[in-house]
Amino acid sequence: MALGDLDGDGDLDAWVTNAEANLVWINDGTGQFKDSGQKLGDSNSRSIALGDLDGDGDLDAWVTNRAFEPGQDPANHVWMNDGSGVFSRTDQSLGASESSGVALGDFDRDGDLDAWVAERSGPNRVWINSGRGTFSETILLPEGGTNTSVQVADLDGDGDLDAVVGNYFGPNWVWFHD
């Protein structure tokens, strides 16, 4: 799940990933949450990262998925916020594998948020944002095990984002950006 001000009223709301539809819960300002009524996606969603992906000032969502049941969509999806906490899925299918974690950051230093996706099997992927919320896969990183999660930060103090990737089996990995 992820917390963020999804409806623009100054308090933290919640996006909860699920094995079926994802749910958005809206905070009334007192810590009480109400189901927004949105049923977002029909896949086995594994993780979510919130950020302004299209540059309009509100929080959008990148959701990773894994297909376990026939008919489930294994692709990752970007969901755009209309500013009031109502989301619509873009037509992008971003990878079709076993994605398990996602972190957003400006990897190419152009002022918008890109996405690092940890894959349960196969190489991690970095997706570069056009600045309008459309993404192209530009970097495939070598397999590092059964990746479960990723976090990004400037670990070596050189001004760019590095990554720590957690693994279910085997060692965790630190990736330094050049």
Side-chain angles (χ1 to χ4, degrees):
M1 78 175 295
L3 298 174
D5 183 7
L6 302 177
D7 59 358
D9 65 357
D11 55 38
L12 294 176
D13 309 302
W15 178 304
V16 180
T17 59
N18 285 302
E20 295 175 0
N22 298 304
L23 303 175
V24 173
W25 295 86
I26 302 298
N27 186 344
D28 68 4
T30 68
Q32 299 297 310
F33 291 83
K34 177 183 176 195
D35 184 348
S36 71
Q38 299 175 78
K39 307 291 186 234
L40 304 172
D42 59 359
S43 300
N44 187 354
S45 298
R46 305 307 289 175
S47 68
I48 178 174
L50 298 173
D52 184 6
L53 300 176
D54 58 1
D56 65 357
D58 57 37
L59 293 177
D60 308 302
W62 178 296
V63 178
T64 64
N65 295 304
R66 290 176 56 201
F68 285 125
E69 301 295 328
Q72 284 185 324
D73 182 0
N76 302 313
H77 292 287
V78 171
W79 295 82
M80 293 300 174
N81 187 345
D82 70 358
S84 68
V86 175
F87 290 84
S88 59
R89 191 175 89 183
T90 68
D91 61 0
Q92 301 173 85
S93 289
L94 302 165
S97 55
E98 294 187 22
S99 301
S100 56
V102 60
L104 300 176
D106 187 5
F107 299 111
D108 59 357
R109 295 183 180 189
D110 65 354
D112 57 37
L113 293 174
D114 309 306
W116 180 305
V117 177
E119 300 288 348
R120 188 165 168 82
S121 60
N124 290 296
R125 292 168 160 66
V126 175
W127 296 83
I128 300 299
N129 189 345
S130 69
R132 297 175 307 279
T134 56
F135 292 82
S136 59
E137 181 182 52
T138 61
I139 302 169
L140 290 172
L141 301 167
E143 290 185 47
T146 308
N147 303 305
T148 58
S149 60
V150 59
Q151 293 292 317
V152 297
D154 182 6
L155 300 174
D156 55 4
D158 65 355
D160 57 35
L161 292 175
D162 309 302
V164 177
V165 178
N167 287 289
Y168 188 70
F169 297 109
N172 298 317
W173 293 88
V174 176
W175 295 88
F176 292 103
H177 190 274
D178 63 5

